[in-house]
Amino acid sequence: MPDLTTTSPDHPLLPAVTEALGRVDDPEIKRPITELGMVASVDIDADARVRVEVLLTIAGCPLKDTLTRDVTEAVSAVPGVAAVEVALGVMSAEQRAGLKERLSGGQAEREIPFARPDSLTRVLAIASGKGGVGKSSVTVNLALALARSGQSVGVLDADIYGHSVPPMLGVADARPTSIEEMILPVPTMGLKVISIGMLKPRRDQVVAWRGPILDRAIHQMLADVYWGDLDHLLIDLPPGTGDVAISLGQKLPNAEVVVVTTPQQAAAEVAERAGTMASMMNQRVVGVVENMSGLSVQCPHCGQRHTHDVFGSGGGQDTADGLTTRLGYEVPLLAQIPLDPSLRIGGDEGSPVVADPAEGGAGEALRALAERLGRRNRPLQGLQLGLSPVGR
C-alpha cells in the first residue's frame, strides 16, 4: 500500500481504520482505494473523530458521492470511532501516472489483453448480417443476465455508427473517466461498459470514420480501456461484413461469434454471410439466435401467453443449418426470442427485460440463452496452463 500521511501515527484506532479503508473498493476500478494510492491522509483526534482525505482520479469523478458514502460507512463501523469526515482531493499528474502504471502492471506496450494466449476471458462477438434484427438488444440483455448469474462481464459497443448500447443500459449521457491515457469503462448494473458514443464531445455528433481511424478506435477501446478481470467480454458488432468486423477478427481471432437473425428466409441468407465472415477470420461461430420469433402477447381472457408468427418462421434454424454445412461443424440454434413488447420498452427506458423476473416472454428466453452460453466451457487449446515437466 502506498504511503499515507497522518498526524496521529500512535493512535490506537489507526490500524483498524486503515484496515477498514482497505476494504473499500473504487467503484469504477473495483480495487481497494488503499492499493490504488487514493487515500492521502488519515487523522484521528483525541475524541476519536476521523478525517480521511481521498484523492479522486479527476475533479469531476462521476462516482465521488458513492466513494464518500462507502468510506464513511466503512470507517464508521470501526469500534470506538466517534465521527467520520471525508475530504476529497484530486490526484496530481505524477500520482495519476503512478496509478496508471499500477493498473497496467508496469507494461508500457498497449497490448490487447483478450488477445493473449493465456487470457481467461471469453470473448463473445454478437453479429448480424443486416441491421434491425435486434442484435444490440440481445447483447445488453445477454450481458446483464450473465452478470446476474455472478460473472464479471464487460460490454464493448463496437457498432461505431449505430451505437445504441448506452441508452439501452440507461447510461446514454455517461462519460468514462480517463487516467492519463487509460480509460475506465462506465459501471452500470454490475457491468463495465464502453462505447464510442461515450467518447464523443456531444451525444448528437455524427461519427464519419473509415479505414485507419476506425481501426485505431477499435484498438483503443480494447487496449486503452482498463477492463480488469472479466469472465466474459461481449462485443456488439455493427451489422454486415465491413471494416469493423475485419478489424476485430484480426485483433481477436480467439473470439467466439453469436449470429443474430430473424425468422424471415431473406434474413437467414444474409445472416449466413456474417457467420462465414467470422470463419474467414478464424473465429468460431458458437450458435444462432433467432430474434422476433413470433409476437408474444398475454391473452386478456385466459391469462396465458400466445405467440403469432408475424415475420414467418424457420429463419433461425435455416441459418444454423446453412452455417453447419458451410463451416463443417455444428452451429446450433441457441434460442428463439419472441417479439415481446417488454423487450422494446426495456430498451427505450434503459431497463433490460432480463431484469424483470417475470416468467415467459423475451426475458425468460434471454435468461435461458445466458444460462446455456454460461455453461459452455471455453476450450483449453492454446491456453498456457503454467505447468512444467517434473524434474525441471
Coordinates of all heavy atoms in Angstrom, one line a residue, residues 162-250:
G162 N -23.8 3.1 -35.3 CA -25.2 3.0 -34.7 C -25.1 2.6 -33.3 O -25.8 1.7 -32.8
H163 N -24.3 3.2 -32.5 CA -24.0 2.8 -31.1 C -25.3 3.1 -30.2 O -25.6 4.2 -29.8 CB -22.8 3.6 -30.5 CG -22.8 5.0 -31.0 ND1 -22.1 5.4 -32.1 CD2 -23.3 6.2 -30.5 CE1 -22.2 6.7 -32.3 NE2 -22.9 7.2 -31.3
S164 N -26.0 2.0 -29.9 CA -27.3 2.1 -29.2 C -27.2 1.4 -27.8 O -28.2 1.4 -27.1 CB -28.4 1.4 -30.0 OG -28.1 0.1 -30.4
V165 N -26.0 0.8 -27.5 CA -25.9 0.1 -26.2 C -26.1 1.1 -25.0 O -26.8 0.7 -24.0 CB -24.6 -0.6 -26.1 CG1 -24.3 -1.1 -24.7 CG2 -24.6 -1.8 -27.0
P166 N -25.4 2.3 -25.0 CA -25.5 3.1 -23.8 C -27.0 3.5 -23.4 O -27.4 3.3 -22.2 CB -24.7 4.4 -24.2 CG -23.7 3.9 -25.1 CD -24.4 2.8 -25.9
P167 N -27.8 3.9 -24.3 CA -29.2 4.2 -23.9 C -30.0 3.0 -23.4 O -30.8 3.1 -22.6 CB -29.9 4.9 -25.1 CG -29.0 4.5 -26.3 CD -27.6 4.4 -25.7
M168 N -29.7 1.8 -24.0 CA -30.4 0.6 -23.6 C -30.0 0.2 -22.2 O -30.8 -0.5 -21.5 CB -30.0 -0.5 -24.5 CG -30.7 -0.4 -25.9 SD -30.3 -1.9 -26.9 CE -31.3 -1.5 -28.4
L169 N -28.8 0.7 -21.7 CA -28.4 0.4 -20.3 C -28.6 1.6 -19.4 O -28.1 1.6 -18.3 CB -27.0 0.0 -20.3 CG -26.7 -1.4 -20.9 CD1 -25.2 -1.7 -21.0 CD2 -27.4 -2.5 -20.0
G170 N -29.3 2.7 -19.9 CA -29.5 3.8 -19.1 C -28.3 4.7 -18.8 O -28.4 5.5 -17.8
V171 N -27.3 4.7 -19.7 CA -26.1 5.5 -19.5 C -25.8 6.3 -20.7 O -24.6 6.5 -21.1 CB -24.9 4.6 -19.0 CG1 -25.1 4.1 -17.6 CG2 -24.7 3.4 -20.0
A172 N -26.8 6.8 -21.4 CA -26.6 7.5 -22.7 C -25.8 8.7 -22.5 O -25.0 9.1 -23.4 CB -27.9 7.8 -23.3
D173 N -25.9 9.4 -21.3 CA -25.2 10.6 -21.1 C -23.9 10.5 -20.2 O -23.3 11.5 -19.8 CB -26.1 11.7 -20.5 CG -27.3 12.0 -21.4 OD1 -27.0 12.3 -22.6 OD2 -28.4 12.1 -20.9
A174 N -23.6 9.2 -19.9 CA -22.4 9.0 -19.1 C -21.1 9.2 -19.9 O -21.1 9.0 -21.1 CB -22.4 7.5 -18.5
R175 N -20.1 9.6 -19.2 CA -18.8 9.8 -19.8 C -17.7 9.0 -19.0 O -17.7 9.1 -17.7 CB -18.4 11.2 -19.8 CG -19.2 12.1 -20.8 CD -19.0 11.7 -22.2 NE -19.8 12.4 -23.2 CZ -21.0 12.1 -23.6 NH1 -21.5 10.9 -23.2 NH2 -21.6 12.8 -24.5
P176 N -16.9 8.2 -19.6 CA -15.9 7.4 -18.9 C -14.8 8.3 -18.3 O -14.5 9.4 -18.8 CB -15.3 6.5 -19.9 CG -15.5 7.2 -21.2 CD -16.7 8.0 -21.1
T177 N -14.2 7.9 -17.1 CA -13.1 8.6 -16.5 C -11.8 8.2 -17.2 O -11.6 7.1 -17.6 CB -13.0 8.2 -15.0 OG1 -14.2 8.6 -14.4 CG2 -11.9 8.9 -14.3
S178 N -11.0 9.2 -17.4 CA -9.7 9.0 -18.0 C -8.5 9.2 -17.1 O -8.5 10.3 -16.4 CB -9.5 9.9 -19.3 OG -8.3 9.7 -19.9
I179 N -7.6 8.3 -16.9 CA -6.4 8.5 -16.1 C -5.2 8.5 -17.0 O -4.8 7.5 -17.6 CB -6.3 7.3 -15.1 CG1 -7.5 7.2 -14.2 CG2 -5.0 7.5 -14.2 CD1 -7.5 6.1 -13.3
E180 N -4.6 9.7 -17.2 CA -3.6 9.8 -18.3 C -4.2 9.4 -19.6 O -5.2 10.0 -20.0 CB -2.3 9.1 -17.9 CG -1.7 9.5 -16.6 CD -1.3 11.0 -16.7 OE1 -0.4 11.4 -17.4 OE2 -1.8 11.8 -15.9
E181 N -3.7 8.3 -20.2 CA -4.3 7.9 -21.4 C -5.0 6.5 -21.3 O -5.3 5.8 -22.2 CB -3.2 7.7 -22.5 CG -2.5 9.0 -22.8 CD -1.4 8.8 -23.9 OE1 -1.2 7.7 -24.4 OE2 -0.7 9.8 -24.2
M182 N -5.3 6.2 -20.0 CA -6.1 5.0 -19.7 C -7.6 5.4 -19.4 O -7.8 6.3 -18.7 CB -5.5 4.3 -18.5 CG -6.2 3.0 -18.2 SD -5.5 2.1 -16.8 CE -4.0 1.4 -17.6
I183 N -8.5 4.6 -20.0 CA -9.9 4.9 -19.9 C -10.5 3.9 -19.0 O -10.3 2.7 -19.1 CB -10.6 4.9 -21.3 CG1 -9.9 5.9 -22.2 CG2 -12.1 5.2 -21.2 CD1 -10.3 5.7 -23.7
L184 N -11.4 4.3 -18.1 CA -12.1 3.4 -17.2 C -13.5 3.2 -17.8 O -14.2 4.2 -18.0 CB -12.2 4.0 -15.8 CG -10.9 4.3 -15.1 CD1 -11.2 4.8 -13.7 CD2 -10.0 3.1 -15.1
P185 N -14.0 2.0 -18.0 CA -15.3 1.8 -18.5 C -16.4 2.3 -17.5 O -16.1 2.4 -16.3 CB -15.4 0.3 -18.7 CG -14.4 -0.3 -17.8 CD -13.3 0.7 -17.7
V186 N -17.5 2.6 -18.0 CA -18.6 3.1 -17.2 C -19.3 1.9 -16.5 O -19.8 1.0 -17.1 CB -19.7 3.9 -18.0 CG1 -20.9 4.3 -17.2 CG2 -19.0 5.1 -18.6
P187 N -19.4 1.9 -15.1 CA -20.0 0.9 -14.4 C -21.5 1.1 -14.4 O -22.0 2.2 -14.1 CB -19.4 0.9 -13.0 CG -19.0 2.4 -12.9 CD -18.7 2.9 -14.2
T188 N -22.3 0.1 -14.7 CA -23.8 0.2 -14.6 C -24.4 -1.2 -14.5 O -24.0 -2.1 -15.2 CB -24.4 0.9 -15.8 OG1 -25.8 1.0 -15.6 CG2 -24.1 0.2 -17.1
M189 N -25.3 -1.4 -13.5 CA -26.0 -2.7 -13.3 C -25.1 -3.9 -13.2 O -25.4 -5.0 -13.6 CB -26.9 -2.9 -14.5 CG -27.9 -1.8 -14.8 SD -29.1 -2.3 -16.1 CE -29.8 -0.7 -16.4
G190 N -23.9 -3.7 -12.6 CA -22.9 -4.7 -12.5 C -22.1 -5.0 -13.7 O -21.3 -6.0 -13.7
L191 N -22.2 -4.2 -14.8 CA -21.5 -4.4 -16.0 C -20.4 -3.3 -16.1 O -20.5 -2.2 -15.5 CB -22.4 -4.3 -17.2 CG -23.6 -5.2 -17.3 CD1 -24.5 -4.9 -18.4 CD2 -23.1 -6.7 -17.5
K192 N -19.4 -3.5 -17.0 CA -18.5 -2.5 -17.3 C -18.7 -2.2 -18.8 O -18.6 -3.1 -19.6 CB -17.0 -3.0 -17.1 CG -16.7 -3.3 -15.7 CD -15.3 -3.8 -15.5 CE -15.0 -4.2 -14.1 NZ -13.6 -4.7 -13.9
V193 N -19.0 -1.0 -19.2 CA -19.5 -0.6 -20.5 C -18.6 0.5 -21.1 O -18.3 1.5 -20.5 CB -20.9 -0.2 -20.5 CG1 -21.5 0.1 -21.9 CG2 -21.8 -1.2 -19.7
I194 N -18.3 0.3 -22.4 CA -17.6 1.4 -23.2 C -18.2 1.4 -24.5 O -18.6 0.4 -25.1 CB -16.1 1.2 -23.2 CG1 -15.4 2.5 -23.5 CG2 -15.7 0.1 -24.2 CD1 -15.4 3.5 -22.4
S195 N -18.4 2.6 -25.1 CA -19.0 2.8 -26.4 C -18.4 4.1 -27.0 O -18.0 5.0 -26.3 CB -20.5 2.9 -26.3 OG -21.1 3.4 -27.5
I196 N -18.3 4.1 -28.3 CA -17.8 5.3 -29.0 C -18.7 6.5 -28.7 O -18.3 7.6 -28.6 CB -17.7 5.1 -30.5 CG1 -16.7 6.1 -31.1 CG2 -19.0 5.1 -31.2 CD1 -15.3 6.0 -30.6
G197 N -20.0 6.2 -28.4 CA -21.0 7.2 -28.0 C -20.6 7.9 -26.7 O -21.0 9.1 -26.5
M198 N -19.9 7.2 -25.9 CA -19.4 7.9 -24.6 C -18.2 8.7 -24.8 O -17.9 9.5 -23.9 CB -19.1 6.8 -23.6 CG -20.3 5.9 -23.2 SD -19.8 4.5 -22.2 CE -21.4 3.8 -21.7
L199 N -17.5 8.6 -25.9 CA -16.3 9.3 -26.1 C -16.4 10.5 -27.0 O -15.5 11.3 -27.2 CB -15.2 8.3 -26.8 CG -14.9 7.1 -26.0 CD1 -14.0 6.2 -26.8 CD2 -14.4 7.4 -24.6
K200 N -17.7 10.7 -27.5 CA -17.9 11.9 -28.4 C -18.1 13.1 -27.5 O -18.7 13.0 -26.4 CB -19.2 11.7 -29.2 CG -19.1 10.5 -30.2 CD -20.3 10.5 -31.1 CE -21.6 10.4 -30.4 NZ -22.7 10.4 -31.3
P201 N -17.7 14.3 -28.0 CA -18.0 15.5 -27.2 C -19.5 15.8 -27.0 O -19.9 16.3 -26.0 CB -17.3 16.6 -28.1 CG -16.3 15.9 -28.9 CD -16.9 14.6 -29.2
R202 N -20.3 15.5 -28.0 CA -21.7 15.7 -27.9 C -22.4 14.4 -28.3 O -22.0 13.7 -29.2 CB -22.2 16.8 -28.8 CG -21.5 18.2 -28.6 CD -22.2 19.3 -29.3 NE -22.6 18.8 -30.7 CZ -21.8 18.8 -31.8 NH1 -20.6 19.3 -31.6 NH2 -22.3 18.4 -32.9
R203 N -23.6 14.2 -27.7 CA -24.3 13.0 -27.9 C -24.8 12.9 -29.4 O -24.9 11.9 -30.0 CB -25.5 12.9 -26.9 CG -26.3 11.6 -27.1 CD -27.4 11.6 -26.0 NE -28.3 10.4 -26.2 CZ -29.3 10.2 -25.4 NH1 -29.6 10.9 -24.4 NH2 -30.1 9.1 -25.7
D204 N -25.2 14.1 -30.0 CA -25.7 14.2 -31.3 C -24.7 14.2 -32.4 O -25.0 14.4 -33.6 CB -26.7 15.4 -31.4 CG -26.0 16.7 -31.2 OD1 -24.8 16.7 -30.8 OD2 -26.6 17.7 -31.5
Q205 N -23.4 14.2 -32.0 CA -22.4 14.3 -33.0 C -22.3 13.0 -33.9 O -22.4 11.9 -33.4 CB -21.0 14.5 -32.4 CG -19.8 14.6 -33.3 CD -18.5 14.9 -32.6 OE1 -18.5 15.3 -31.5 NE2 -17.4 14.8 -33.3
V206 N -22.2 13.2 -35.2 CA -22.1 12.1 -36.1 C -20.7 11.5 -36.2 O -19.8 12.3 -36.4 CB -22.7 12.5 -37.5 CG1 -22.5 11.4 -38.5 CG2 -24.1 12.9 -37.4
V207 N -20.5 10.2 -36.2 CA -19.2 9.6 -36.4 C -19.1 9.3 -37.9 O -19.9 8.5 -38.4 CB -19.1 8.4 -35.6 CG1 -17.7 7.7 -35.9 CG2 -19.2 8.7 -34.1
A208 N -18.1 9.8 -38.6 CA -17.9 9.5 -40.0 C -16.5 9.1 -40.2 O -15.7 9.8 -40.8 CB -18.2 10.8 -40.8
W209 N -16.1 7.9 -39.7 CA -14.8 7.4 -39.8 C -14.7 6.2 -40.8 O -15.6 5.5 -41.0 CB -14.3 6.9 -38.5 CG -14.2 8.0 -37.4 CD1 -14.1 9.4 -37.6 CD2 -14.2 7.8 -36.0 NE1 -14.1 10.0 -36.4 CE2 -14.1 9.1 -35.4 CE3 -14.2 6.7 -35.2 CZ2 -14.0 9.3 -34.0 CZ3 -14.1 6.8 -33.8 CH2 -14.0 8.1 -33.3
R210 N -13.5 6.1 -41.4 CA -13.2 4.9 -42.2 C -11.8 4.5 -42.0 O -11.0 5.2 -41.5 CB -13.5 5.2 -43.7 CG -15.0 5.5 -44.0 CD -15.2 5.6 -45.5 NE -15.1 4.3 -46.1 CZ -15.1 4.1 -47.4 NH1 -15.2 5.1 -48.2 NH2 -15.0 2.9 -47.9
G211 N -11.5 3.3 -42.5 CA -10.1 2.8 -42.6 C -9.3 2.9 -41.3 O -9.7 2.4 -40.3
P212 N -8.1 3.5 -41.4 CA -7.2 3.5 -40.2 C -7.8 4.1 -39.0 O -7.5 3.7 -37.9 CB -6.0 4.3 -40.7 CG -6.1 4.2 -42.2 CD -7.5 4.2 -42.6
I213 N -8.6 5.2 -39.1 CA -9.1 5.9 -37.9 C -10.1 4.9 -37.2 O -10.1 4.8 -36.0 CB -9.9 7.2 -38.3 CG1 -8.9 8.1 -38.9 CG2 -10.6 7.8 -37.1 CD1 -9.5 9.4 -39.4
L214 N -10.9 4.2 -38.0 CA -11.8 3.2 -37.5 C -11.1 2.1 -36.7 O -11.4 1.7 -35.6 CB -12.7 2.6 -38.6 CG -14.0 2.0 -38.2 CD1 -14.9 3.0 -37.6 CD2 -14.7 1.5 -39.5
D215 N -10.0 1.6 -37.4 CA -9.2 0.6 -36.8 C -8.6 1.0 -35.5 O -8.5 0.3 -34.5 CB -8.1 0.1 -37.7 CG -7.3 -1.0 -37.2 OD1 -7.7 -2.2 -37.2 OD2 -6.2 -0.7 -36.7
R216 N -8.1 2.3 -35.4 CA -7.5 2.8 -34.2 C -8.5 3.0 -33.1 O -8.2 2.7 -31.9 CB -6.9 4.2 -34.5 CG -6.3 4.9 -33.3 CD -5.3 4.1 -32.6 NE -5.0 4.6 -31.3 CZ -4.5 3.9 -30.3 NH1 -4.3 2.6 -30.4 NH2 -4.2 4.5 -29.1
A217 N -9.7 3.3 -33.4 CA -10.8 3.5 -32.4 C -11.1 2.1 -31.8 O -11.2 2.0 -30.5 CB -12.0 4.1 -33.0
I218 N -11.2 1.1 -32.6 CA -11.4 -0.3 -32.1 C -10.3 -0.7 -31.2 O -10.5 -1.2 -30.1 CB -11.6 -1.3 -33.2 CG1 -12.9 -0.9 -34.0 CG2 -11.7 -2.7 -32.7 CD1 -14.1 -1.0 -33.2
H219 N -9.0 -0.5 -31.6 CA -7.9 -0.9 -30.8 C -7.9 -0.1 -29.5 O -7.5 -0.7 -28.4 CB -6.6 -0.6 -31.6 CG -5.4 -1.1 -30.9 ND1 -4.9 -2.4 -31.2 CD2 -4.5 -0.7 -29.9 CE1 -3.8 -2.6 -30.5 NE2 -3.6 -1.6 -29.7
Q220 N -8.2 1.2 -29.5 CA -8.2 1.9 -28.3 C -9.2 1.4 -27.3 O -8.9 1.3 -26.1 CB -8.5 3.4 -28.6 CG -8.4 4.3 -27.3 CD -8.7 5.7 -27.7 OE1 -9.2 6.1 -28.8 NE2 -8.4 6.6 -26.7
M221 N -10.4 1.0 -27.7 CA -11.4 0.6 -26.8 C -11.1 -0.8 -26.3 O -11.6 -1.2 -25.2 CB -12.8 0.5 -27.5 CG -13.3 1.9 -27.8 SD -15.1 1.9 -28.2 CE -15.0 1.2 -29.9
L222 N -10.2 -1.6 -26.9 CA -9.8 -2.9 -26.4 C -8.5 -2.8 -25.5 O -8.4 -3.4 -24.5 CB -9.5 -3.8 -27.6 CG -10.7 -4.4 -28.4 CD1 -10.3 -5.0 -29.6 CD2 -11.5 -5.3 -27.5
A223 N -7.6 -1.9 -26.0 CA -6.3 -1.9 -25.3 C -6.1 -0.8 -24.3 O -5.4 -0.9 -23.3 CB -5.1 -1.8 -26.3
D224 N -6.7 0.4 -24.5 CA -6.5 1.5 -23.6 C -7.6 1.6 -22.5 O -7.5 2.5 -21.7 CB -6.6 2.8 -24.5 CG -5.4 2.9 -25.4 OD1 -4.5 2.1 -25.3 OD2 -5.3 3.8 -26.2
V225 N -8.6 0.7 -22.6 CA -9.6 0.7 -21.5 C -9.2 -0.3 -20.4 O -8.8 -1.4 -20.8 CB -11.0 0.3 -22.1 CG1 -12.0 0.0 -21.0 CG2 -11.5 1.4 -23.1
Y226 N -9.3 0.1 -19.2 CA -8.9 -0.8 -18.1 C -10.2 -1.7 -17.8 O -11.1 -1.3 -17.0 CB -8.5 0.0 -16.9 CG -8.2 -0.9 -15.7 CD1 -7.1 -1.8 -15.7 CD2 -9.1 -1.0 -14.6 CE1 -6.8 -2.6 -14.6 CE2 -8.8 -1.8 -13.5 CZ -7.7 -2.7 -13.5 OH -7.4 -3.5 -12.5
W227 N -10.2 -2.9 -18.3 CA -11.3 -3.8 -18.1 C -11.2 -4.6 -16.8 O -12.2 -5.1 -16.3 CB -11.4 -4.7 -19.3 CG -11.8 -4.1 -20.6 CD1 -11.0 -3.7 -21.6 CD2 -13.2 -3.7 -21.0 NE1 -11.7 -3.1 -22.6 CE2 -13.1 -3.1 -22.3 CE3 -14.4 -3.8 -20.4 CZ2 -14.2 -2.6 -23.0 CZ3 -15.5 -3.3 -21.1 CH2 -15.4 -2.7 -22.3
G228 N -10.0 -4.7 -16.3 CA -9.9 -5.6 -15.1 C -10.0 -7.0 -15.5 O -10.0 -7.4 -16.7
D229 N -10.3 -7.9 -14.5 CA -10.5 -9.3 -14.8 C -12.0 -9.6 -15.2 O -12.9 -9.3 -14.4 CB -10.2 -10.1 -13.5 CG -8.7 -10.0 -13.2 OD1 -7.9 -9.9 -14.1 OD2 -8.4 -10.0 -12.0
L230 N -12.2 -10.1 -16.3 CA -13.5 -10.4 -16.8 C -13.7 -11.8 -17.1 O -12.8 -12.5 -17.6 CB -13.8 -9.6 -18.2 CG -13.9 -8.1 -18.1 CD1 -14.1 -7.6 -19.5 CD2 -14.9 -7.6 -17.2
D231 N -14.9 -12.4 -16.8 CA -15.2 -13.7 -17.2 C -15.7 -13.7 -18.7 O -15.4 -14.6 -19.5 CB -16.4 -14.3 -16.4 CG -15.9 -14.5 -14.9 OD1 -14.8 -15.1 -14.7 OD2 -16.6 -14.0 -14.0
H232 N -16.5 -12.6 -19.0 CA -17.0 -12.5 -20.4 C -16.8 -11.1 -20.9 O -17.0 -10.1 -20.1 CB -18.5 -12.8 -20.5 CG -18.8 -14.3 -20.3 ND1 -18.9 -14.9 -19.1 CD2 -19.0 -15.3 -21.3 CE1 -19.2 -16.2 -19.3 NE2 -19.3 -16.4 -20.6
L233 N -16.4 -10.9 -22.1 CA -16.5 -9.6 -22.8 C -17.4 -9.8 -24.0 O -17.2 -10.6 -24.9 CB -15.1 -9.2 -23.3 CG -15.1 -7.9 -24.2 CD1 -15.5 -6.7 -23.3 CD2 -13.8 -7.6 -24.8
L234 N -18.5 -9.1 -24.0 CA -19.5 -9.1 -25.1 C -19.3 -7.9 -26.0 O -19.2 -6.8 -25.5 CB -20.9 -9.1 -24.6 CG -21.5 -10.5 -24.3 CD1 -20.8 -11.2 -23.2 CD2 -23.0 -10.4 -24.0
I235 N -19.1 -8.2 -27.3 CA -18.9 -7.1 -28.3 C -20.1 -7.0 -29.2 O -20.4 -8.0 -29.9 CB -17.6 -7.4 -29.1 CG1 -16.4 -7.5 -28.1 CG2 -17.3 -6.3 -30.1 CD1 -15.1 -7.9 -28.9
D236 N -20.7 -5.9 -29.2 CA -21.8 -5.6 -30.1 C -21.2 -5.1 -31.5 O -20.8 -4.0 -31.6 CB -22.7 -4.6 -29.5 CG -24.0 -4.3 -30.4 OD1 -24.4 -5.3 -31.0 OD2 -24.5 -3.2 -30.4
L237 N -21.2 -6.0 -32.4 CA -20.6 -5.7 -33.7 C -21.6 -4.9 -34.6 O -22.8 -5.0 -34.4 CB -20.2 -6.9 -34.5 CG -19.1 -7.8 -34.0 CD1 -19.0 -9.1 -34.8 CD2 -17.8 -7.0 -34.0
P238 N -21.1 -4.1 -35.5 CA -22.0 -3.4 -36.5 C -22.5 -4.5 -37.4 O -21.9 -5.5 -37.6 CB -21.1 -2.4 -37.2 CG -19.7 -2.9 -37.0 CD -19.7 -3.6 -35.7
P239 N -23.7 -4.3 -38.0 CA -24.2 -5.3 -39.0 C -23.3 -5.4 -40.2 O -22.6 -4.5 -40.6 CB -25.6 -4.7 -39.3 CG -25.5 -3.3 -39.0 CD -24.6 -3.1 -37.9
G240 N -23.4 -6.6 -40.9 CA -22.7 -6.7 -42.1 C -21.3 -7.2 -41.9 O -20.9 -7.7 -40.8
T241 N -20.5 -7.1 -43.0 CA -19.1 -7.7 -43.0 C -18.1 -6.6 -43.4 O -17.3 -6.8 -44.3 CB -19.1 -8.8 -44.0 OG1 -19.5 -8.4 -45.3 CG2 -20.0 -10.0 -43.6
G242 N -18.2 -5.4 -42.8 CA -17.4 -4.3 -43.1 C -16.1 -4.2 -42.4 O -15.6 -5.2 -41.8
D243 N -15.5 -3.0 -42.3 CA -14.2 -2.7 -41.7 C -14.1 -3.2 -40.3 O -13.1 -3.7 -39.9 CB -13.9 -1.2 -41.8 CG -13.6 -0.8 -43.2 OD1 -13.5 -1.7 -44.1 OD2 -13.4 0.4 -43.5
V244 N -15.1 -2.9 -39.5 CA -15.0 -3.2 -38.0 C -15.0 -4.7 -37.8 O -14.2 -5.2 -37.0 CB -16.2 -2.6 -37.3 CG1 -16.2 -3.1 -35.8 CG2 -16.2 -1.1 -37.3
A245 N -15.8 -5.5 -38.6 CA -15.7 -6.9 -38.4 C -14.4 -7.5 -38.8 O -13.8 -8.4 -38.1 CB -16.8 -7.6 -39.3
I246 N -13.8 -6.9 -39.9 CA -12.5 -7.4 -40.3 C -11.4 -7.0 -39.2 O -10.6 -7.8 -38.9 CB -12.1 -6.8 -41.6 CG1 -13.0 -7.3 -42.7 CG2 -10.6 -7.1 -42.0 CD1 -12.9 -6.6 -44.1
S247 N -11.5 -5.8 -38.7 CA -10.5 -5.3 -37.7 C -10.6 -6.1 -36.5 O -9.5 -6.6 -35.9 CB -10.8 -3.8 -37.4 OG -9.8 -3.3 -36.5
L248 N -11.8 -6.4 -36.0 CA -11.9 -7.2 -34.8 C -11.5 -8.6 -35.0 O -10.9 -9.3 -34.1 CB -13.4 -7.1 -34.3 CG -13.7 -5.9 -33.4 CD1 -15.2 -5.8 -33.3 CD2 -13.0 -6.0 -32.1
G249 N -11.7 -9.2 -36.2 CA -11.3 -10.5 -36.5 C -9.8 -10.6 -36.4 O -9.3 -11.6 -36.0
Q250 N -9.1 -9.6 -36.9 CA -7.6 -9.6 -36.9 C -7.1 -9.4 -35.5 O -6.1 -10.0 -35.1 CB -7.1 -8.5 -37.8 CG -7.4 -8.7 -39.3 CD -7.1 -7.5 -40.1 OE1 -7.0 -6.4 -39.6 NE2 -6.8 -7.7 -41.4

